[in-house]
Amino acid sequence: MTEKPPVVIVVDDDPSFRNFLSRLVQTIGLKAVLFTSAEEFLAAPQPDGPACLVLDVQMPGLSGLDLQRQLTERGRPLPIVFTTGHGDIPMTVEAMKAGAIGFLSKPFRNQEMLDAIKEGIARDRESRTKLDELVELQGRYQSLTAREREVFALVTSGSLNKQIALQLGTSERTVKAHRAQVVQKMHAESVADLVRMADKLGVST
Amino acid sequence: MQHDRANEASVIGPLRLSFENSRDAILLLESILHQMSDAVIVADKEHHFLIFNRAAERMFGVGPTDTRAESWSRIYGLYLSDEGTRFPAQDLPLARAIRGEEVEDVEMFVRHDKKPDGVWVRVSGRPLRDAAGELSGGMVVCRDISDSKKEDIFRSGQSRVLEMIAQGATLSEVLASLVTLIEAQSHDMVCSVVELSEDGKYIRHGAAPNLPKIYVQAVNGAPIGPKNGSCGTAMYRGQQVIVTDMLTDPLWEDYRELAKLSGLRACWSTPIFSGSGQVLGSFAMYYRQPQTPTGSEARLTEVATHIAGIAIEHQRAANELRTREEQLRVTQAELAHVARVSTMGELAASIAHEVNQPLGAIVGNADICLRWLEDSQPDLVQLREALEDISSDGHRASQVVARIRSLVKKHVPNKLPTDFNDVAREVVELINHEAQRKQVTVRSDLATALPLVAADRVQLQQVLINLVMNGMEAMSEVENGTRELKLETTVSDRGVLAAVSDRGVGIKGTDAEQLFKPFHTTKTNGMGMGLAISRSIIESHGGRLWAEPNAEGGATFKFTLPAVDGEVQ
């Protein structure tokens, strides 16, 4: 599976500043997508690769902090680097609490911004990967039969085959066959592997 | 004739004069006529003089002549009351009397070789009739009214000088007119008024239009003292000083040469006092010969010192008022400056944002350029674009700074024809970020083609910023509802009407006028001077500033500014 190229999403009402940020991220080989307002960004299609938002805190209409809140509510929190012409401490605290990567006062050093962007993209890539893995895992789990899911749950909670047979009212042999199916369908290499998967899927009993 | 005789007899009768001896009667009448101080002239209808008494000869310089009325004005020096126009022959009282008119109280000015200063005369005339009632001639009686006439002229001269004071003429103009007026009342006399310096030590020139320049210059700045000429001594003593001969009087010892050089001999000086008895200056009469007062000058001196006192006191009061006004103006300007700076303090966050916005891009772009320049073959097109951006952002930042500087720096008010809409637009730009911060929408509705107003831009910006900031403040306390601030300009009948409306807490319960009182504040950290200063600024522009509650809640602050003359029909 090839990853889509990462993008830097710039939302700032100042055209000159947008141009600068676009130029800056190009220097590290990244592409910038520019928006003049939070509303404009929200109306656009969401990025399908790893992304980092660079947001001006003070904008006419929806402010940067408002946008951050809305994204969190939508369940797709993107890493955000805030910029401000004049930041105050309460504003910074609010932004950082809500998971901002950085809060840079203009003027800032380019390296600081690039570092923050890189970190943002890395974080997004990571959370994206995790998400992809989970989706994959969920797909595998969906392929299990009801009886196999029961066996999966009991195995991962540490029950021995004999105990499982007793509990399910079947033979130990049948349990073994189910267990082999589970391991194969879940692409697990060991019981430990299965336990981790159960943990991620939230199916451990 | 019979009838007339009877009348005359009834007057003369009691004297028991015998008209049987007509010669005696004629002699008696002649003697009476010549004793009279009024001029009596009788002429027949052919303009031949029948009677011309001695008083008439003295008054008109020449005795009876055998000429027609057409020549009388020329021969006897008869003028209208303007003292310059020859009296028209047909209007002469005697000519009118001869024509049969009764003439009452005609004023005439008479001037000839023997009366070079002229005489004011009041004339009455009667026609003469013979026994048959036919016109036979006319008579006039002329009374010398020079004294009362001169008095009238002198009095009206005084009124003129007092009027000059009231109308704000300069002190030197007033004093020069006063001196000229006094001098006109007497021959051979030259006058001067000097002032005493405010520290009470020196003579300061006031007015002396007819004294030698050299003398005036020497006296100006001379000290006063117990032996300092007439004026210096009079002011020192606070008493009149009469010097009948400047060449011998010990008071003039130090100034003798000056007196000789100026050709002055006598100088009588009288101090001028204020209403509270303080010496303000001195009035002096000068003569070119040794001279002792005759008593007739006392009244002139009294008038001169009285009026000069009023003039000097008036001038000093006016000076003081001007100084106070200037101080007040400076204080107001300083207060306005403080208010502007404190408003700027409130706007600091927005200002920082506005400046840092372009600075952020400049610094960032410059860093990128530096990085690119490290390449062996930098992309010059890209480099150029970035540098162009840096340049334009630099200009942007400097404009912001200039805008703020002009508001914060000490400022001498200077009114120039101004389009008030420009002021409004600049203010909207300045407070834009503050409005965003406070989540206020600013709507401006500016009239097209406003007449120009004579305005100090910085001061008007200050007023508008103040009103806009107040409006935003008022709305910050409103939980829900529209936070909208409207800025309107319209053409009013005499100029421009500007209005700032908010949807804030409004002014209900408060007397709207109370808002404009100094130190009235509803803010926790306000000085309460904003509106008071704003009103004084608008009033100094000839306008008015007031507050009104809005129908839909909130308040509207309105002010007017008169158009530059001729801008609005």
Side-chain angles (χ1 to χ4, degrees), chain A residues 14 16 23 58 85 106 110, chain B residues 353 356-357 364-365 393 396:
Chain A
D14 188 320
S16 144
R23 189 176 285 135
Q58 293 159 338
K106 298 171 190 175
N110 285 356
Chain B
H353 182 103
N356 284 337
Q357 195 73 16
N365 278 321
D393 279 329
R396 214 173 100 202

Side-chain angles (χ1 to χ4, degrees), chain B residues 225-489:
Chain B
K227 234 186 92 178
N228 291 54
S230 301
C231 292
T233 311
M235 287 194 283
Y236 180 79
R237 291 183 186 164
Q239 279 175 0
Q240 189 177 52
V241 170
I242 305 290
V243 171
T244 50
D245 190 350
M246 294 151 83
L247 296 190
T248 57
D249 196 298
L251 292 182
W252 281 84
E253 205 176 308
D254 295 344
Y255 302 95
R256 204 86 77 202
E257 287 309 308
L258 178 65
K260 274 189 206 161
L261 213 62
S262 314
L264 301 169
R265 279 305 281 276
C267 177
W268 316 332
S269 184
T270 311
I272 298 164
F273 291 103
S274 71
S276 57
Q278 184 199 350
V279 176
L280 297 173
S282 185
F283 167 75
M285 291 175 166
Y286 291 85
Y287 294 88
R288 295 185 189 279
Q289 307 84 34
Q291 188 100 16
T292 319
T294 61
S296 64
E297 305 87 355
R299 190 160 160 269
L300 290 181
T301 301
E302 192 188 315
V303 168
T305 53
H306 179 62
I307 295 179
I310 293 173
I312 295 171
E313 245 185 322
H314 185 270
Q315 161 89 8
R316 292 195 177 170
N319 283 350
E320 179 138 342
L321 189 63
R322 241 195 314 278
T323 312
R324 295 254 170 97
E325 273 172 359
E326 176 65 14
Q327 280 168 350
L328 184 64
R329 205 190 57 70
V330 168
T331 311
Q332 272 179 338
E334 255 160 33
L335 192 56
H337 175 243
V338 169
R340 274 201 301 280
V341 171
S342 76
T343 306
M344 281 297 121
E346 288 171 43
L347 277 171
S350 308
I351 292 166
H353 182 103
E354 261 202 281
V355 180
N356 284 337
Q357 195 73 16
L359 276 186
I362 290 169
V363 172
N365 278 321
D367 273 354
I368 295 173
C369 290
L370 287 171
R371 190 62 65 79
W372 281 340
L373 287 170
E374 286 168 13
D375 292 351
S376 52
Q377 281 182 309
D379 182 335
L380 290 181
V381 176
Q382 276 194 335
L383 200 59
R384 186 195 185 89
E385 280 173 8
L387 285 170
E388 277 169 357
D389 281 2
I390 289 175
S391 167
S392 77
D393 279 329
H395 287 302
R396 214 173 100 202
S398 83
Q399 276 164 13
V400 175
V401 173
R403 224 166 32 228
I404 293 157
R405 246 183 61 137
S406 73
L407 268 171
V408 174
K409 77 176 173 197
K410 291 250 177 174
H411 174 73
V412 181
N414 179 22
K415 295 192 180 89
L416 296 171
T418 304
D419 182 347
F420 185 74
N421 282 345
D422 290 345
V423 177
R425 283 187 205 101
E426 281 163 5
V427 167
V428 169
E429 275 199 37
L430 262 170
I431 53 88
N432 217 358
H433 276 95
E434 188 64 17
Q436 275 174 29
R437 241 166 55 92
K438 296 202 160 120
Q439 293 170 302
V440 171
T441 314
V442 178
R443 276 211 303 127
S444 41
D445 187 357
L446 307 181
T448 48
L450 275 188
L452 294 180
V453 292
D456 181 274
R457 226 182 167 88
V458 168
Q459 287 192 329
L460 290 189
Q461 276 180 0
Q462 180 178 359
V463 170
L464 210 50
I465 288 175
N466 189 253
L467 296 181
V468 168
M469 296 279 281
N470 281 350
M472 296 200 294
E473 188 87 8
M475 287 190 285
S476 69
E477 293 158 33
V478 174
E479 278 302 320
N480 36 32
T482 334
R483 286 189 183 171
E484 188 186 83
L485 191 95
K486 202 162 97 184
L487 207 164
E488 266 178 294
T489 61

Side-chain angles (χ1 to χ4, degrees), chain B residues 108-237:
Chain B
M108 187 183 278
F109 184 70
V110 181
R111 184 176 49 217
H112 45 73
D113 295 347
K114 289 173 189 154
K115 299 264 185 202
D117 289 337
V119 185
W120 284 93
V121 175
R122 184 184 293 136
V123 190
S124 299
R126 293 286 180 278
L128 293 179
R129 295 176 194 278
D130 61 17
E134 287 296 313
L135 276 174
S136 61
M139 65 165 294
V140 285
V141 176
C142 313
R143 175 161 294 177
D144 183 339
I145 55 159
S146 295
D147 285 349
S148 72
K149 191 72 188 173
K150 275 185 183 150
E151 181 61 21
D152 285 352
I153 292 170
F154 184 44
R155 276 179 194 281
S156 72
Q158 291 173 39
S159 304
R160 264 203 314 281
V161 175
L162 289 170
E163 245 167 59
M164 283 175 78
I165 296 172
Q167 285 167 357
T170 65
L171 183 61
S172 60
E173 284 169 354
V174 172
L175 294 181
S177 300
L178 176 65
V179 165
T180 309
L181 174 70
I182 302 292
E183 285 174 347
Q185 309 307 312
S186 171
H187 288 298
D188 312 324
M189 187 246 280
V190 181
C191 300
S192 78
V193 174
V194 292
E195 253 190 280
L196 182 60
S197 62
E198 262 139 87
D199 61 6
K201 289 183 180 161
Y202 300 98
I203 297 176
R204 196 190 292 155
H205 171 64
N210 296 311
L211 278 181
K213 267 224 166 62
I214 178 173
Y215 181 82
V216 170
Q217 281 166 2
V219 166
N220 189 23
I224 68 163
K227 234 186 92 178
N228 291 54
S230 301
C231 292
T233 311
M235 287 194 283
Y236 180 79
R237 291 183 186 164

